[in-house]
Amino acid sequence: MNILNLPILEILISMVFIFALLSVLVYSLVEWYNHKTKARGKMLKDSIYQMLDDPLNANYGALLYLHPLVRGTVNYKNNRPPQYLDSTLFAEALIDIISRQWEDEGEEVGIVVNTDGSKEFDLKPDPAKPELHKLTDRELFQEGMARMSDSPFKELLESFCRKSKGRPELILLIRQWFDSQQDRVSGWYKTKQIPKNWVFAVLVTLFLNVDSFYLYQVVAENKGIRDGLVSMAMQADSTVLQKEAQEQIQWSLDHLGQTNLPLGWNKDIAPLSWWSKDQPTKPESKALQYHYRRNFKPQWYDYALYVFGLFFSMLMLSFGAPFWFDTLNKLINIRKAGKKPQAVHTPTPKTTNS
Amino acid sequence: MEKFTNAHIHVFTGDCAPDSFLKVIPISLVRKFPRRLKWLIQTRGVRSLIVWFASWGSRRDAQLRNTVEKYISFLEIGTTATQLEIFIKGFKVAKSYSASPRIVALPLDMDYMDEDQEIVMNYNTQLKDVKRIKKYYPDNFFPFLCVDPRKHQGENMLRWARKFFTRGIRSKESEKVHPFFSGIKIYPALGFFPFDPALDELYAFAEEHGLPVMSHCTRVGSQYVGKNIRSLIPQQPAMIGVPGHPDYEQARQEIIDRIARYDEKGWLKYTTAKNNDYACDLFGHPQNYVPVLLKYPRLKICLAHMGGYSEILKLKKGPDEVQEVDQKNWFGLIKEMMQQYPNFYTDISYTLSGLQAHKKLSRADARFIRSEINAFLDTPVQSTGEADEPIGKRVLFGTDFYMTEQEAREPELYQMAREHLPQWFKRMAGENCERYLGF
């Protein structure tokens, strides 16, 4: 007997596929919520504001978002901040803002107040001030920094300036700094998704009445349903997670519709069936008696099992769609038992003749 | 080309205010959870719902509804546009009246509005952005520099502020030279007295260089929302002025007595429910400017909004409890002071919206406000030596854009002024503003 053809593996694949389908719903709802609340863009904005906050001078993050290079990426229709910012664009905009502090200082103005209270103004150019076109980009950046009060942020910029010989190197250093910060922000962002995953896992579980224990019972007993699920699971493709939320939901609902699983709310399935007046007669078949009892004549442990089934579903769905697709892929690989893992090109170690 | 100036608009955004900004709304729930509400209001759908509920919930209290809607409106524009975009909105309306209008924009330093709260776009950042707008619109954008004596004092304040007035740019279009900032803005209700000695050097500089001062002057509006209100209002605050001058001594005594009366009433104690509502009136009281006007007689000071149209309505409906304790009607007091001090100005911004009936103002009330404002403008000067000149020559045209969006849209405000103050509209926006700004 081949262990890989045992029903337990099919049941596992079926259950994991069910969780994957439902998790796609959770995943797309979380993404939809993030889109509506501009969560990704706001987090990026907050992180940049924090990075560039200099209370002794200005919040350069706020100024960066007003800079045409970044402002141009804002969706004007709904004022949606950019979800991603290219590190080169970030560096270019920041260098420009700092450099412009020199130019934005303006010129000395001579003021004459006339006897009638009117005023006349004239510029008093500073002969010691270098002309703009005679300065290199790096010098302009230094002049801009010189207009800042001493602060930790200024010291950081000075250190970048010291380490670089020209604009390309300066850009590279700022890009590296930005990228390392953004790696951390990605971590924070993922952490922030956990409570949202939970909330939408609860909603999907309740909305579709997902009792994992009962689903297990149905899948374990019904070979037809199981085969259908395994067949769909073999064709499932995790690239669905890269599609639009609407397509993800459609994909998930289409597949759930083909499974014939006891999901949703109707008077033939617990808990609505508990109050249904149209109760069927007790079936003769022993196999069907469990379903009859669970749905129409529940004992106290059926209630408890139902509630635990819901909680278990919530917990499973909160793991997220990527986790379930990953698990599904591993199980399918086991079932195929001959399928080679994707080829990973590794350089052949050099042999040395000593 | 006809000179045309709107002497009072705002371009600062929601990022310039602390998260607790909504505490200025006199609703206890809002005052308990201002940050969460601000977060909610930043969602478009929620904003619309709140406006609807606020209108329904405060249908019997026009002033409350007015305040709620005003701040919702502020957040609506303030959270969706940049300072430059807000300026352009106001500028476009003014362009209907002149090919090259002048817009006076009044930044606000809200860094000390609530000590416990951080501000996303602190005042320095706000100013950098304002300078950027000046660079783009040198002949049309005339910002004032907002100062707060808690941030800089005396010589330090002057050293910090001087560069904003003595550095500038040449317009490529008109080839005229403009300093970056054209005047001084103070907003005492945020927690300081305009007679604070820390402002002395700056006033002296402003008088010498012909820099006008603009100050907010209504009982409602933005205010200090922190918990340290008691420490900001001593029983006998230090005061610049002219000791020994009878007017100074009288004003000083009345100011001290007023503080004592407010204290007796318990209005100087911070509570979440009251939230400095009355206490902040003490900062912006028109009488507080008497010591400054006496010490700096050539300094042009404008108390904006004529004290607010709710003060005008009190002349019809009788004084409320606040006025009884205060013992002054601000609209009346401003009129008296304009008759007495030749460089004392006011503007019609915000109060303009009371010229015409709207959903919050009955026709009878609007008619009363119109007649009072017309009478105000025609009031002859008595003791300033300006023979045969009404005090209307020192009233400026302004709209308080975008604070007035719920009362009336910007073009409507211009239209109201033109329709209801036909003899004064051009004069207020023309020669009066020219004289005030020193152009």
Side-chain angles (χ1 to χ4, degrees), chain A residues 125-304:
Chain A
D126 178 4
K129 195 174 179 180
E131 288 178 54
L132 179 66
H133 65 273
K134 287 183 180 169
L135 293 173
T136 64
D137 283 350
R138 191 172 171 276
E139 283 168 340
L140 202 55
F141 187 75
Q142 281 176 316
E143 288 287 350
M145 276 194 309
R147 266 73 191 170
M148 293 167 70
S149 302
D150 287 337
S151 69
F153 182 66
K154 186 184 176 186
E155 285 169 7
L156 179 75
L157 293 178
E158 281 171 342
S159 78
F160 287 155
C161 211
R162 269 197 304 274
K163 289 175 200 162
S164 58
K165 287 176 186 162
R167 186 182 174 89
E169 282 173 313
L170 187 60
I171 287 178
L172 186 67
L173 283 168
I174 295 175
R175 280 184 59 190
Q176 284 170 351
W177 172 53
F178 177 72
D179 287 337
S180 69
Q181 289 285 330
Q182 288 311 300
D183 285 345
R184 281 183 215 171
V185 174
S186 298
W188 299 339
Y189 185 74
K190 279 177 192 160
T191 311
K192 278 192 94 170
Q193 300 315 301
I194 294 170
K196 291 180 200 168
N197 265 332
W198 261 104
V199 170
F200 283 102
V202 169
L203 290 177
V204 167
T205 304
L206 294 178
F207 185 72
L208 292 178
N209 190 23
V210 186
D211 173 358
S212 293
F213 300 152
Y214 187 53
L215 288 177
Y216 167 79
Q217 195 76 26
V218 170
V219 167
E221 286 176 0
N222 195 321
K223 189 169 186 321
I225 289 179
R226 199 165 65 229
D227 287 348
L229 284 166
V230 172
S231 161
M232 282 189 274
M234 303 292 274
Q235 293 160 25
D237 186 359
S238 63
T239 53
V240 69
L241 298 178
Q242 276 128 42
K243 292 182 179 169
E244 292 289 314
Q246 203 180 344
E247 283 180 76
Q248 290 173 356
I249 293 173
Q250 194 61 50
W251 180 86
S252 178
L253 292 179
D254 283 350
H255 281 78
L256 283 170
Q258 293 169 31
T259 57
N260 292 324
L261 289 167
L263 291 170
W265 296 82
N266 71 59
K267 62 184 174 55
D268 296 327
I269 308 173
L272 289 185
S273 59
W274 296 337
W275 295 283
S276 173
K277 286 176 184 169
D278 309 324
Q279 300 232 341
T281 50
K282 191 176 177 182
E284 299 280 320
S285 158
K286 274 198 170 179
L288 294 175
Q289 277 182 5
Y290 165 75
H291 300 280
Y292 175 77
R293 195 195 71 224
R294 187 255 183 194
N295 287 326
F296 297 103
K297 297 284 179 207
Q299 303 297 310
W300 67 267
Y301 46 83
D302 289 311
Y303 293 121

Side-chain angles (χ1 to χ4, degrees), chain A residues 36-100:
Chain A
K36 280 286 163 197
T37 55
K38 305 168 189 171
R40 202 183 291 271
K42 279 182 185 169
M43 183 120 193
L44 177 69
K45 191 174 175 181
D46 287 348
S47 69
I48 289 176
Y49 273 35
Q50 193 183 320
M51 265 177 88
L52 304 182
D53 188 23
D54 182 359
L56 291 162
N57 289 291
N59 188 316
Y60 291 99
L63 295 175
L64 187 103
Y65 269 80
L66 293 168
H67 191 278
L69 275 175
V70 179
R71 185 72 188 156
T73 63
V74 172
N75 183 336
Y76 279 78
K77 199 175 171 187
N78 52 20
N79 210 38
R80 189 178 293 282
Q83 298 196 29
Y84 302 98
L85 210 55
D86 180 67
S87 56
T88 308
L89 188 141
F90 171 85
E92 294 275 6
L94 182 62
I95 290 171
D96 192 44
I97 289 165
I98 300 297
S99 304
R100 276 186 183 279

